[in-house]
Amino acid sequence: MNDVLARVGDKWSVRVVMALAGGSRRFNELRRDIAGISQRMLTRTLRGLERDGLVSRAVTASVPPRVDYALTPLGNSLRDPVARLGNWAIANIGKIETARALFDAGSDHTKL
Amino acid sequence: MNDVLARVGDKWSVRVVMALAGGSRRFNELRRDIAGISQRMLTRTLRGLERDGLVSRAVTASVPPRVDYALTPLGNSLRDPVARLGNWAIANIGKIETARALFDAGSDHTKL
DNA sequence: CAGTATCCGTCTCGATACTG
DNA sequence: CAGTATCGAGACGGATACTG
């Protein structure tokens, strides 16, 4: 279970899954959608997700080449738990940052 | 938000939060409950969760020393999303391992 | 367009040993 | 009991260059 959670907890994996939530995307579309990801990391993340059966890869032999990525049913089943976690993070990021500031300022963490 | 997800999605953090879901636990109780965690990783994970205001740390000065960890209200609000993620991982670990085996056996991508 | 290959610094993890 | 200190292997991630 640990390695499964590691995949899910990876920041790039989460962003790729979220980017594919709306439907299939091509490589460079993903690259544009996911700000800050390098080509290398996008490739590696997609391979990892593909290996785990969460993402499908469809190659169209043409010039220029075309590769479409999409969530598999398994990948889709991950959307809900990931979205809930994401929503929690968005809702509570303020509290967490406050707690961090307090903790870092002094050992006084009796609040929160 | 990435750093929040990093903390929350971290495999050890998830397991610690799940272990504390039933109530407060002492250091070595957690160590026993969470199979495979090293002392160092448990300490680091607890510090991280404490810093983020998700876990409280109560020291009882005695011999031997006693330290109780528990979820804060904020930590408790995390229980549900984390449990969903954990349940997803437990429910789908079989499918993922099958997918991995297929992927690794099939096309030889040497490495990732 | 969609990758691979390579280099390289940084960070993480786990094992081990020691302590109040 | 509940940590801290230290160390080395390896994973991670960015930058860059090249290719079918």
Side-chain angles (χ1 to χ4, degrees), chain B residues 15-98:
Chain B
R15 305 211 28 203
V16 167
V17 169
M18 292 180 99
L20 289 175
S24 75
R25 287 272 183 286
R26 298 177 62 180
F27 188 86
N28 279 320
E29 288 178 330
L30 287 172
R31 192 142 76 121
R32 261 174 266 117
D33 288 351
I34 304 168
I37 196 169
S38 65
Q39 189 173 34
R40 179 178 181 272
M41 279 304 107
L42 180 54
T43 300
R44 287 173 62 98
T45 303
L46 286 169
R47 287 291 170 281
L49 292 169
E50 189 194 357
R51 183 168 101 103
D52 288 356
L54 299 167
V55 158
S56 63
R57 180 171 180 272
V59 181
T60 305
S62 60
V63 179
R66 177 192 182 95
V67 181
D68 291 276
Y69 292 92
L71 293 178
T72 62
L74 186 59
N76 259 293
S77 75
L78 180 58
R79 272 173 54 193
D80 181 66
V82 157
R84 285 174 192 272
L85 194 65
N87 289 337
W88 183 92
I90 290 166
N92 294 287
I93 186 167
K95 288 180 185 173
I96 288 176
E97 279 170 356
T98 302

Side-chain angles (χ1 to χ4, degrees), chain A residues 6-27:
Chain A
R7 155 106 300 112
V8 155
D10 175 60
K11 68 170 179 178
W12 294 128
S13 294
V14 169
R15 308 217 17 213
V16 167
V17 168
M18 291 178 101
L20 290 174
S24 75
R25 288 270 182 287
R26 298 176 62 179
F27 188 86

Side-chain angles (χ1 to χ4, degrees), chain A:
Chain A
M1 173 176 145
N2 274 343
D3 46 347
V4 173
L5 285 175
R7 155 106 300 112
V8 155
D10 175 60
K11 68 170 179 178
W12 294 128
S13 294
V14 169
R15 308 217 17 213
V16 167
V17 168
M18 291 178 101
L20 290 174
S24 75
R25 288 270 182 287
R26 298 176 62 179
F27 188 86
N28 279 320
E29 288 178 330
L30 287 172
R31 207 169 145 190
R32 261 174 267 116
D33 289 351
I34 303 167
I37 196 168
S38 66
Q39 187 174 39
R40 177 183 136 89
M41 279 304 108
L42 180 54
T43 301
R44 288 172 64 95
T45 302
L46 286 168
R47 288 291 171 281
L49 292 169
E50 189 194 357
R51 183 168 101 102
D52 288 357
L54 299 167
V55 159
S56 64
R57 181 171 179 272
V59 181
T60 306
S62 61
V63 179
R66 177 194 182 94
V67 181
D68 291 276
Y69 293 93
L71 292 178
T72 62
L74 185 59
N76 259 295
S77 74
L78 179 58
R79 277 173 53 194
D80 181 65
V82 160
R84 284 176 193 271
L85 202 62
N87 289 337
W88 183 93
I90 289 166
N92 294 285
I93 187 167
K95 288 180 185 174
I96 287 176
E97 279 171 355
T98 301
R100 279 183 191 171
L102 279 172
F103 187 92
D104 293 348
S107 315
D108 180 14
H109 45 277
T110 54
K111 298 139 198 147
L112 260 172

